[in-house]
Amino acid sequence: MTAILCGILSCTGGESGQAAGVWESGAGASEVTISIRAEPVGLNPILSIHNISRYVYGNIFQTLNDRDPDTFELVPLLASTPVVESGADGTTSYRYTIDSLARWPNGTDVTAADVIFSLKALLNPLVEAGPYRPYYDMIQDVVVDSADQRTFYVITESPYILSEHAIGDLYVYPQYAYDPEGYLSDVSLADLADPRRAEELAESNEDLRAFADVFNSPDTALNPDRIVGSGGYALIGWEPGQRIRLKRRDNYWAQDRTEEGLVAYPDYLNFRIISDYSAEINALRDNIVDVALDMPVDVFRDLQDDEYLTASYDFVAIPGFKYFAVLLNSDDPLLGDSLTRRALAHTANVDQLIEQLLPGLAQRVVGPVLPTKSYYNDDLPVIPYDLAAAERLLRQAGWSDTNGNGILDRVIEGERREFQFQLLSFAMPTSEAVTLVIAEGARKVGIDIEVVRMEPRALTSMLDAGDFTASFYGQGFKPTPDDFTQVWASTSVPPGGTNRGNFHNVEADSLIRRIAVTPDADVRDTLYRRFQEIIYANQPMIFLYSPYDRVVIAKRFEYRISAMAPNLKFNALRLKVNQ
């Protein structure tokens, strides 16, 4: 990948024309420099699920709608929020109108044709957009208003709780830039929205394949001349492994607007790739970066007390949309029953973990719904650290120490096995500390756990293969109603989804399906609460805590913090008046 980047970007300068001048700023230019933990894999929105890529391309491309940073309600961005109408035939239509000022960098209007093209690209089975495609399964077609090429109706054939959010989150691509050959022009969106017909076309239609070959290519995601969006910024420089530079477009269509999602205050946005925490701290001390994200808790806590840094930076923590747990493989015979899994949960001293590792920076969770959600089931008490309860449950599950070696055992599938296994940990301080505490608590009741450090890519591969017993695990969310299909449905065991713990429950599957198609929030909340009860009873994870997001931001900027990653809008940062 680095070689490709060097080949593509060494002589390109995007809008500035020459690479030599890419990193130089004009007199009086305003800049914001953001430290990011890793290099984006590319800047093609529907091909990347990584937050770090979105932190960058979110300033280049625009979605139909944005979310209010405080209420999380949909608000207009590239288009109006939808007017929703139900049809007599059971379909639902969502009417949008693209902003009358919206223009592409070449000066042409953004129209409904670009929205249709973007959906065609996403629904093309040969395009590597698999993680996003299921969220658009409900779309049947898009109809353009005959009197206005900016107004269109998205027709869905079935109800889905995330329809408005999924459509509003659609990144819109310019057809002229991403399909100059017109490969998708003669392919109907309705055909691609039909899974059976789409697969037939994928086999027979050479234009679909030709488009996918170009769209999936690294050049489309890395070459500044190929990365074209309606947003306020353009990619002008990329030094592999070092930094990425965006420049505000001179002809940006919303340059006079004041909405937070549309403004483009800084002249340049610089993203410095700093994977080493010590290097990031030095960059803060030298005032090289203005914003640091996702800093480890222990580092964040230490720096909060550093008078030199606090004179120049604000250290902000805010409840986020993620939780951490110990994922238990329900298919492993050691953990195949809920009594054993609940006993393990009683050996985890979660309150101590939070007090020692994340004081004031996390809250306990008891299940897959975060406490900030309106349908959080607060009738479910936290599972306390209680070794006596753990021992009692283990006895009920048939565990005992028959040979006196201090490790429990029982007969499993005709063979006596000792209760010992590996607990996978990410090679990060907090992950290691949490897993070591878990292992220590379990050891007190006769469970022998070996903590094994692994790099993220290797650990995730093991989880996807089901080749594990237990692992430290994180799960992230959006501020939308929860659709649990991908994470908890029995049909979503990898590679079909991310049900990596192999959780299977007939009633849970039924609830997941009903939740997804229940538009009435009150009815849906009842289903959510019952779903949480099932997860609580089965304990497929040892649910630990939801950490606060952590942001370091230079005091010289005006900003607004939000629980939505990346917690502030880089495009809306501007110097305070007295600076």
Side-chain angles (χ1 to χ4, degrees):
M1 180 64 76
T2 299
I4 294 172
L5 276 167
C6 291
I8 291 174
L9 301 178
S10 58
C11 297
T12 23
E15 287 191 345
S16 66
Q18 297 296 324
V22 160
W23 308 106
E24 300 173 3
S25 302
S30 61
E31 305 202 13
V32 174
T33 300
I34 304 106
S35 170
I36 55 177
R37 189 67 55 216
E39 188 159 34
V41 295
L43 301 181
N44 190 339
I46 65 173
L47 298 191
S48 176
I49 62 173
H50 298 100
N51 270 345
I52 286 177
S53 293
R54 182 168 56 83
Y55 293 171
V56 181
Y57 68 60
N59 300 283
I60 300 171
F61 294 87
Q62 292 175 321
T63 52
L64 291 173
N65 292 158
D66 196 9
R67 285 190 178 84
D68 182 279
D70 298 322
T71 67
F72 313 129
E73 296 294 324
L74 291 173
V75 295
L77 191 69
L78 191 56
S80 62
T81 52
V83 175
V84 184
E85 296 181 356
S86 298
D89 58 354
T91 62
T92 303
S93 72
Y94 300 81
R95 176 168 62 85
Y96 296 84
T97 299
I98 296 171
D99 194 295
S100 62
L101 298 178
R103 302 286 187 277
W104 295 114
N106 71 348
T108 60
D109 293 347
V110 180
T111 69
D114 296 301
V115 176
I116 294 172
F117 163 73
S118 302
L119 282 169
K120 286 182 182 181
L122 191 154
L123 296 175
N124 180 347
L126 300 173
V127 167
E128 296 168 356
Y132 292 107
R133 207 170 286 127
Y135 294 100
Y136 296 85
D137 282 347
M138 74 291 179
I139 290 180
Q140 188 179 73
D141 204 354
V142 173
V143 177
V144 182
D145 190 312
S146 59
D148 180 9
Q149 293 301 297
R150 292 180 182 268
T151 298
F152 59 95
Y153 301 78
V154 180
I155 311 300
T156 64
E157 61 182 351
S158 58
Y160 178 46
I161 58 171
L162 296 183
S163 289
E164 290 184 45
H165 301 280
I167 300 168
D169 285 344
L170 178 70
Y171 281 97
V172 181
Y173 294 74
Q175 185 174 10
Y176 77 86
Y178 284 85
D179 192 18
E181 304 296 332
Y183 289 124
L184 298 187
S185 297
D186 295 330
V187 181
S188 78
L189 176 60
D191 280 345
L192 290 175
D194 179 337
R196 182 187 59 80
R197 180 61 179 145
E199 289 300 329
E200 291 175 354
L201 288 172
E203 293 290 332
S204 62
N205 191 302
E206 292 300 321
D207 284 344
L208 276 187
R209 183 167 299 280
F211 173 81
D213 287 344
V214 175
F215 193 81
N216 291 334
S217 71
D219 186 61
T220 302
L222 302 172
N223 187 337
D225 294 329
R226 299 293 307 279
I227 299 169
V228 182
S230 59
Y233 293 87
L235 174 67
I236 62 168
W238 190 332
E239 289 185 4
Q242 299 296 319
R243 54 184 176 170
I244 297 170
R245 187 163 170 85
L246 308 184
K247 180 180 183 296
R248 185 173 61 192
R249 292 201 287 114
D250 294 334
N251 63 343
Y252 174 44
W253 65 272
Q255 58 187 342
D256 296 325
R257 301 286 280 274
T258 58
E259 296 96 318
E260 191 174 31
L262 290 175
V263 297
Y265 291 141
D267 295 307
Y268 296 92
L269 295 177
N270 304 312
F271 295 85
R272 282 191 172 268
I273 304 160
I274 308 177
S275 58
D276 180 76
Y277 301 127
S278 297
E280 184 173 59
I281 294 170
N282 290 334
L284 289 169
R285 292 191 182 283
D286 294 339
N287 291 304
I288 293 174
V289 299
D290 301 303
V291 181
L293 306 167
D294 304 323
M295 185 175 285
V297 172
D298 53 337
V299 176
F300 184 85
R301 286 171 52 199
D302 290 343
L303 297 186
Q304 277 183 307
D305 298 326
D306 188 313
E307 293 184 0
Y308 178 80
L309 288 176
T310 55
S312 300
Y313 294 93
D314 289 332
F315 289 77
V316 185
I318 184 170
F321 288 99
K322 64 174 74 73
Y323 68 76
F324 287 95
V326 174
L327 176 64
L328 306 175
N329 187 350
S330 297
D331 270 2
D332 189 309
L334 287 176
L335 304 177
D337 65 279
S338 61
L339 288 175
T340 297
R341 296 193 295 268
R342 178 172 287 274
L344 268 175
H346 276 297
T347 69
N349 196 339
V350 182
D351 291 331
Q352 177 188 334
L353 280 173
I354 294 175
E355 181 180 350
Q356 292 184 350
L357 300 176
L358 306 106
L361 295 173
Q363 56 187 330
R364 284 201 67 168
V365 294
V366 299
V369 174
L370 297 178
T372 53
K373 296 292 182 75
S374 63
Y375 43 85
Y376 173 73
N377 192 338
D378 51 13
D379 292 333
L380 302 175
V382 298
I383 295 179
Y385 175 64
D386 187 339
L387 297 182
E391 290 174 338
R392 183 173 61 254
L393 289 167
L394 289 167
R395 285 195 300 271
Q396 292 178 30
W399 293 99
S400 62
D401 182 9
T402 61
N403 59 10
N405 68 349
I407 301 175
L408 298 175
D409 57 74
R410 73 177 180 184
V411 175
I412 299 175
E413 298 175 349
E415 176 187 359
R416 184 163 294 279
R417 292 184 56 183
E418 295 198 325
F419 203 169
Q420 53 188 186
F421 60 87
Q422 292 183 336
L423 172 57
L424 307 184
S425 166
F426 293 100
M428 299 172 64
T430 301
S431 177
E432 291 183 61
V434 169
T435 50
L436 288 171
V437 169
I438 298 291
E440 179 185 0
R443 193 171 296 114
K444 293 177 180 178
V445 297
I447 303 170
D448 182 29
I449 296 178
E450 177 192 3
V451 173
V452 178
R453 298 171 68 248
M454 298 187 70
E455 294 302 318
R457 188 185 300 272
L459 192 154
T460 302
S461 295
M462 290 187 69
L463 298 186
D464 285 339
D467 187 20
F468 75 104
T469 301
S471 176
F472 188 72
Y473 194 70
Q475 187 72 47
F477 303 87
K478 287 187 175 182
T480 58
D482 289 303
D483 176 4
F484 294 116
T485 304
Q486 284 289 307
V487 179
W488 293 105
S490 58
T491 54
S492 295
V493 173
T498 55
N499 181 358
R500 296 184 169 108
N502 294 286
F503 176 71
H504 294 78
N505 184 280
V506 173
E507 185 183 358
D509 283 344
S510 175
L511 287 167
I512 289 169
R513 291 191 294 269
R514 291 170 62 193
I515 287 169
V517 298
T518 301
D520 187 303
D522 291 334
V523 175
R524 195 170 64 237
D525 285 2
T526 300
L527 302 177
Y528 274 131
R529 293 176 72 84
R530 175 56 187 153
F531 177 79
Q532 292 169 75
E533 290 173 355
I534 293 172
I535 297 298
Y536 186 85
N538 283 273
Q539 285 298 303
M541 293 183 182
I542 302 174
F543 293 93
L544 302 173
Y545 57 83
S546 175
Y548 290 4
D549 289 339
R550 301 164 300 280
V551 182
V552 182
I553 171 73
K555 289 180 180 290
R556 61 196 180 97
F557 289 106
E558 294 179 353
Y559 62 89
R560 179 159 64 150
I561 290 291
S562 170
M564 294 185 298
N567 303 117
L568 46 75
K569 291 185 181 294
F570 308 133
N571 59 291
L573 295 176
R574 60 178 172 181
L575 292 173
K576 294 177 179 177
V577 175
N578 60 350
Q579 297 294 318

